[in-house]
Amino acid sequence: MIRKYTFGNPFNTEAVVVKLDEEKTLLPFFEVREKKEFVLRLKDSDVVYGLGEQVRGINKRGWHYTNFNADNPHHHEDTRSLYGSHNFLIISGEETFGVFFDYPGRIEYDIGYKRRDTMVISADSSDMDIYIILPEEGKYKELSIVKQFRRLIGKSYVPPMWAFGFGQSRWGYKTEDDIRQVALEYEKADIPLDSIYMDIDYMDSYKDFTVDKSKFPDLKQLSSDMKDKGIHLVPIIDAGVKIEKGYDVYEEGVAENYFCKDKNGEDFIGAVWPGSVHFPDFLNPLARDWFGGKYKVLTDSGIDGFWNDMNEPAIFYTRDRLNDTLKEMEEVVSENMGIIEFFHFTGMIEDLKGNEGDYTKFYHNVDGKMICHNDVHNIYGMNMTRAANEALNKINPDKRTLFFSRSSYIGAHRFGGIWQGDNKSWWSHILLSMQQLPALNMAGFLFIGCDTGGFGCDTTEDMMMRWVQYSLFTPLFRNHSSDGTRLQELYRFSNVKNLGEMIKIRYSLIPYLYSEFLKAYKNDEMMFKPLSFEFTEDDLAKDIDDQLLLGDSVMIAPIYKQNAHGRYVYLPEPMMLIRMRSVDDFETVNLTKGVHYVKADLNELIFFIRDGKAIPVCKTCKSTSQINPGTIKLMGFKDATYEQYFDDGISSDLSRITVKTIGNNN
Ligand code: MIG
């Protein structure tokens, strides 16, 4: 049961696809205070799930969060905002319900921060739709809330099956030779690979939809040579459009008024990688259509995958703020500048980058009305993703295109996947990624994953191994790192052989992962669940936030600590432990319900098969194009069967997904 409560005059974010009538009764559960605050008393036993891409554990209690999309590469425990805003929560306890604050601006969640027993939600304005979702009868209250919510927000995006292969990326591949080298080294190391990512250096002066001919003389040829090896090239597209006379995207955008405007009606100027840029007004359907059409420049060269970056949008600085700052500095800096002035001086420089005040300085054209960006900030990235998705559906109507974005809002899950942004090569960031997965699934995002090995900072050989052992379970499985950090392609490490074995295990698990993904898509379910969503009567399960249920048959319990030779795992039911060194070298151990110390040396992957279940495993191969369904066997409990979802992996027509029950005897 879903009820909609409307406050004031909300902006239509298009997050919701089902039209509901607004309730005339009072908003239940919450006390509505003046100053636009929604207040809820929390009982000791209440657990708060959700908020998608946010810091801290699966239970969000005990911290305050701000949903205001940010280009923030510091994912710390006290970070308030990351790249996406996912305003959906489940309060689980004596009374269990879901709540979605459909609001495109800044919104704050104090979840037991000021007072442990109180949750306060407040926003810049109270013009918003609030949806309350009550559980259906039965044991699985949280899951029934998620399912209803997912029907409200529409079907999730499904990528082509090759997107489940392993991908190699790095900010730093500068030439065609760099790309060919990566492919060659993976081939030499005998490690499967399905994609190589192209970061901003492939462009001419960071101009979207251009290719630097001096470094990539023939992209079409390169892309076709790579396809012959089963490798797809996936270029990046940034939100800002370089201001440069004669550059078609710039000229057309100016001529047609497709860019965001400043208060005087001039095209707004910010600075990002290309230098001065304009930001396409993705809230304007005409601008979306126009920008989306540009992807054809790359699809014409055989490209069938993209990642959209910097679409919060990230702004390094604006000329106006810089000028003001320079003026102020002159006043502050003097011969006998005091220490307070000195800190003010350095602070001014720090404040230039990513200054949220810049979001109050530009406007969108929504049905002829000028809307300040600040008020709709959180849906900008989503609409860039939408522009690409809608265009690619036109350019290539029959086939799915790989597509994921950095910034998002609920609704963006219909248009693409997301990656979890600029993490660091920190052990704690393996855990952080894992803890976001169920909350992202709740919000509809199914094609998700993080930068494996860590983006910022230097990774280590053992960290890469443990990270791979975690990420090989996530739909998006990509090794990506920042320019200037330690090189981290798998062939850079002395244990390349064992790392390769893990990638081969990933390929043998794709039939299971892809099937569970399709299942979650088709039935509006979660692929990654907290244990407590299924073991609802189990109090210990509520505290477990470093293990997840993956689909119907698996529980994962990754190792994310340096020098660990194993870990404690809680089994909410008897399960089968699988300990694998390679596709052919593994053992299985039946374990009872309860806490176990499970040994796993560095080169050993562990995971668990749930009681009475099995998973389909295929013969491993070099690329997803070579997966042979004829080689699928079940692994797990004897006599178990498995409901396998499958399709041809590429058609846009998702009604062709079929289901087959398989056992080891057929
Ligand atoms: O300011 O394109 O999150 O994946 O490698 C950094 C360069 C811009 C941020 C993305 C990251 C990408 C990087 N980008």
Side-chain angles (χ1 to χ4, degrees):
M1 154 101 73
I2 306 183
R3 296 211 182 103
K4 174 181 175 182
Y5 300 85
T6 299
F7 290 79
N9 187 17
F11 185 91
N12 181 8
T13 65
E14 297 183 67
V16 163
V17 296
V18 180
K19 246 192 110 44
L20 295 180
D21 287 333
E22 160 195 340
E23 296 284 331
K24 295 294 169 217
T25 52
L26 285 181
L27 180 73
F29 304 112
F30 294 90
E31 177 199 331
V32 184
R33 289 200 190 141
E34 271 173 60
K35 290 194 310 187
K36 310 141 194 168
E37 283 185 350
F38 302 93
V39 181
L40 179 81
R41 291 267 168 247
L42 294 172
K43 300 210 177 59
D44 263 357
S45 58
D46 285 345
V47 178
V48 180
Y49 298 102
L51 283 189
E53 190 180 58
Q54 266 292 3
V55 296
R56 302 222 174 191
I58 290 177
N59 183 350
K60 301 321 265 192
R61 280 186 78 158
W63 188 239
H64 54 159
Y65 312 84
T66 301
N67 276 350
F68 196 66
N69 296 349
D71 165 23
N72 185 354
H74 307 293
H75 307 177
H76 296 175
E77 261 184 63
D78 65 345
T79 297
R80 301 286 293 279
S81 303
L82 291 170
Y83 315 88
S85 289
H86 309 121
N87 298 320
F88 175 53
L89 304 159
I90 291 180
I91 291 82
S92 161
E94 272 165 45
E95 272 185 307
T96 297
F97 67 96
V99 57
F100 172 42
F101 299 90
D102 190 6
Y103 179 73
R106 176 199 306 273
I107 178 163
E108 315 258 354
Y109 298 84
D110 173 334
I111 310 184
Y113 168 72
K114 280 204 194 91
R115 279 185 61 117
R116 264 198 62 73
D117 65 352
T118 309
M119 166 156 134
V120 183
I121 289 102
S122 54
D124 286 351
S125 114
S126 60
D127 291 330
M128 65 171 91
D129 287 319
I130 300 180
Y131 295 84
I132 298 283
I133 303 136
L134 300 176
E136 277 154 9
E137 281 303 309
K139 210 166 111 193
Y140 302 111
K141 293 202 172 95
E142 294 82 6
L143 291 176
S144 84
I145 291 168
V146 172
K147 196 176 230 182
Q148 294 176 70
F149 179 61
R150 295 270 299 279
R151 296 205 165 130
L152 182 71
I153 58 174
K155 287 284 178 200
S156 301
Y157 160 81
V158 178
M161 206 254 275
W162 63 261
F164 283 74
F166 177 58
Q168 180 59 55
S169 181
R170 177 160 174 98
W171 179 12
Y173 299 153
K174 293 208 161 54
T175 63
E176 156 166 353
D177 282 345
D178 290 345
I179 303 280
R180 290 189 189 275
Q181 189 68 18
V182 172
L184 193 71
E185 293 290 347
Y186 270 96
E187 210 172 310
K188 278 206 291 205
D190 187 33
I191 300 178
L193 190 68
D194 263 79
S195 50
I196 300 179
Y197 288 76
M198 296 165 63
D199 209 318
I200 46 175
D201 295 303
Y202 80 85
M203 297 182 217
D204 170 14
S205 313
Y206 306 128
K207 283 182 293 201
D208 280 338
F209 313 113
T210 67
V211 178
D212 185 335
K213 285 269 186 297
S214 69
K215 299 187 265 170
F216 291 84
D218 191 346
L219 182 61
K220 197 169 187 172
Q221 188 61 47
L222 179 67
S223 143
S224 127
D225 291 351
M226 289 296 126
K227 283 265 166 70
D228 291 344
K229 298 174 188 281
I231 295 171
H232 300 252
L233 294 180
V234 186
I236 194 170
I237 300 291
D238 280 6
V241 170
K242 186 175 175 66
I243 298 176
E244 186 185 280
K245 279 246 157 319
Y247 166 40
D248 60 338
V249 186
Y250 162 75
E251 297 283 359
E252 291 168 22
V254 170
E256 302 292 337
N257 286 313
Y258 288 152
F259 294 127
C260 293
K261 302 281 185 188
D262 66 18
K263 66 173 188 308
N264 303 319
E266 303 288 330
D267 292 327
F268 173 76
I269 301 173
V272 213
W273 289 109
S276 291
V277 300
H278 292 321
F279 292 103
D281 184 358
F282 292 117
L283 271 57
N284 172 352
L286 295 173
R288 267 203 308 269
D289 196 49
W290 160 76
F291 191 85
K294 297 288 171 196
Y295 284 78
K296 192 162 182 307
V297 171
L298 291 155
T299 56
D300 281 348
S301 287
I303 299 298
D304 49 10
F306 296 92
W307 49 311
N308 273 2
D309 190 19
M310 307 296 271
N311 50 355
E312 293 73 26
I315 302 178
F316 291 160
Y317 74 90
T318 58
R319 179 48 69 179
D320 284 352
R321 186 177 302 281
L322 183 64
N323 289 341
D324 291 348
T325 303
L326 288 172
K327 244 187 254 146
E328 209 180 325
M329 276 177 179
E330 268 175 43
E331 288 159 25
V332 171
V333 180
S334 64
E335 277 293 314
N336 41 15
M337 177 171 68
I339 290 305
I340 301 285
E341 286 75 25
F342 169 74
F343 284 121
H344 179 59
F345 165 76
T346 54
M348 278 192 290
I349 295 181
E350 274 161 27
D351 283 351
L352 283 170
K353 185 174 175 286
N355 192 305
E356 289 182 356
D358 294 338
Y359 295 138
T360 62
K361 305 263 167 70
F362 61 99
Y363 297 82
H364 298 275
N365 174 356
V366 179
D367 301 328
K369 268 199 270 134
M370 297 311 273
I371 305 280
C372 181
H373 175 81
N374 195 61
D375 300 336
V376 290
H377 172 67
N378 289 341
I379 60 172
Y380 184 77
M382 158 160 92
N383 281 292
M384 179 185 186
T385 305
R386 179 176 177 183
N389 173 285
E390 289 174 349
L392 290 163
N393 287 342
K394 277 190 225 153
I395 296 168
N396 244 333
D398 301 329
K399 286 187 176 170
R400 286 152 18 201
T401 302
L402 166 60
F403 194 72
F404 59 90
S405 159
R406 193 169 72 178
S407 179
S408 63
Y409 181 82
I410 289 178
H413 68 286
R414 304 195 296 268
F415 308 120
I418 51 174
W419 93 100
Q420 293 163 300
D422 296 346
N423 60 6
K424 293 193 163 73
S425 297
W426 291 354
W427 290 90
S428 59
H429 279 182
I430 301 178
L431 181 61
L432 177 62
S433 166
M434 182 175 25
Q435 290 174 328
Q436 289 176 352
L437 299 181
L440 287 170
N441 277 186
M442 283 168 65
F445 295 89
L446 295 181
F447 191 72
I448 49 181
C450 66
D451 287 350
T452 298
F455 175 76
C457 307
D458 294 331
T459 202
T460 59
E461 196 164 355
D462 53 343
M463 177 186 286
M464 183 51 91
M465 180 54 113
R466 291 306 193 192
W467 211 313
V468 160
Q469 289 170 0
Y470 155 65
S471 291
L472 68 82
F473 291 109
T474 60
L476 169 63
F477 182 21
R478 177 179 80 142
N479 177 344
H480 180 50
S481 54
S482 179
D483 207 5
T485 62
R486 179 181 185 171
L487 298 170
Q488 65 181 41
E489 292 82 7
L490 300 186
Y491 51 81
R492 306 277 179 190
F493 301 105
S494 67
N495 63 347
V496 53
K497 169 92 181 51
N498 295 311
L499 284 163
E501 296 301 345
M502 292 301 138
I503 309 299
K504 287 177 185 159
I505 292 173
R506 157 70 169 212
Y507 278 73
S508 73
L509 292 176
I510 288 178
Y512 177 69
L513 298 172
Y514 187 64
S515 165
E516 290 300 327
F517 186 98
L518 291 182
K519 207 178 272 183
Y521 155 80
K522 206 166 157 64
N523 307 330
D524 303 302
E525 281 166 355
M526 294 165 71
M527 185 171 170
F528 294 94
K529 285 167 277 195
L531 270 51
S532 54
F533 278 25
E534 292 233 9
F535 298 91
T536 52
E537 316 278 295
D538 183 334
D539 277 341
L540 228 168
K542 285 200 180 80
D543 277 2
I544 303 290
D545 69 358
D546 62 354
Q547 304 174 203
L548 294 174
L549 300 172
L550 161 50
D552 280 345
S553 309
V554 167
M555 181 179 81
I556 58 170
I559 290 175
Y560 54 91
K561 290 191 175 149
Q562 189 150 31
N563 302 318
H565 294 89
R567 58 163 287 174
Y568 284 96
V569 179
Y570 174 60
L571 270 51
E573 64 181 8
M575 289 187 189
M576 180 185 286
L577 160 69
I578 313 277
R579 188 188 288 114
M580 293 185 115
R581 288 162 289 274
S582 75
V583 175
D584 309 306
D585 179 13
F586 64 92
E587 63 248 2
T588 67
V589 188
N590 286 312
L591 295 174
T592 54
K593 174 180 153 110
V595 176
H596 297 267
Y597 183 80
V598 176
K599 275 189 68 65
D601 282 336
L602 187 58
N603 296 328
E604 293 179 324
L605 168 75
I606 51 164
F607 65 98
F608 300 83
I609 296 194
R610 292 185 55 188
D611 199 14
K613 305 276 188 177
I615 61 169
V617 177
C618 71
K619 196 162 170 286
T620 193
C621 50
K622 290 292 275 277
S623 140
T624 51
S625 59
Q626 292 171 15
I627 287 180
N628 179 355
T631 63
I632 291 179
K633 288 210 174 70
L634 287 187
M635 174 188 232
F637 286 88
K638 201 169 155 274
D639 299 330
T641 56
Y642 178 73
E643 278 226 312
Q644 176 139 23
Y645 283 54
F646 60 96
D647 67 354
D648 67 1
I650 192 75
S651 305
S652 305
D653 181 2
L654 292 164
S655 68
R656 295 198 209 165
I657 295 171
T658 42
V659 188
K660 192 168 85 181
T661 302
I662 56 171
N664 255 342
N665 307 324
N666 51 14

